[in-house]
Amino acid sequence: MPQIFVTQQDGRQLTLEVPSGRRLMEALRDGGTTVEGTCGGACSCGSCHVYVDDAWLARLTEVETDEREMIEAIGDVIEVRPTSRLACQIQMSDALDGLTLTIAEAI
């Protein structure tokens, strides 16, 4: 089962095991982080915004139009970086074992 390494907003770090096929947002929401996943994975709220470690960006699926537009929209109220992703749009797989990310500030 893939593991992810998470830095929370307050700097605390934790490791979570995430079954392949599960959305990253669900694992973060259920794993005791500040990620809410308010829209349930519909890519319409931005409450699962994370900063993915640079080394992992190339291993993720490409950012689709809906995700790009949501990230641009939340950029009006919180910091958006080149490594910004919505965790609801990342489906875990064995290839993502070791994924490292930081949870962005809440909107």
Side-chain angles (χ1 to χ4, degrees):
M1 184 176 316
Q3 287 187 326
I4 59 170
F5 302 100
V6 180
T7 300
Q8 299 190 85
Q9 294 164 331
D10 62 6
R12 288 183 300 134
Q13 297 183 339
L14 68 138
T15 301
L16 297 174
E17 290 189 351
V18 185
S20 289
R22 189 168 189 205
R23 290 181 191 204
L24 178 58
M25 176 273 295
E26 295 166 340
L28 294 171
R29 179 195 63 204
D30 299 344
T33 71
T34 56
V35 168
E36 294 178 12
T38 306
C39 71
C43 195
S44 62
C45 72
S47 69
C48 65
H49 179 213
V50 296
Y51 305 119
V52 175
D53 186 88
D54 286 330
W56 287 93
L57 283 178
R59 298 186 198 186
L60 300 177
T61 56
E62 298 241 355
V63 177
E64 298 289 330
T65 302
D66 289 345
E67 181 180 7
R68 183 178 309 105
E69 289 174 356
M70 181 54 60
I71 290 171
E72 288 172 4
I74 64 176
D76 291 339
V77 290
I78 59 173
E79 178 185 6
V80 170
R81 301 177 187 169
T83 62
S84 288
R85 291 296 305 261
L86 298 181
C88 67
Q89 299 303 298
I90 299 172
Q91 189 157 356
M92 289 300 299
S93 68
D94 290 340
L96 296 180
D97 184 35
L99 177 66
T100 306
L101 60 92
T102 300
I103 297 173
E105 83 178 89
I107 46 176

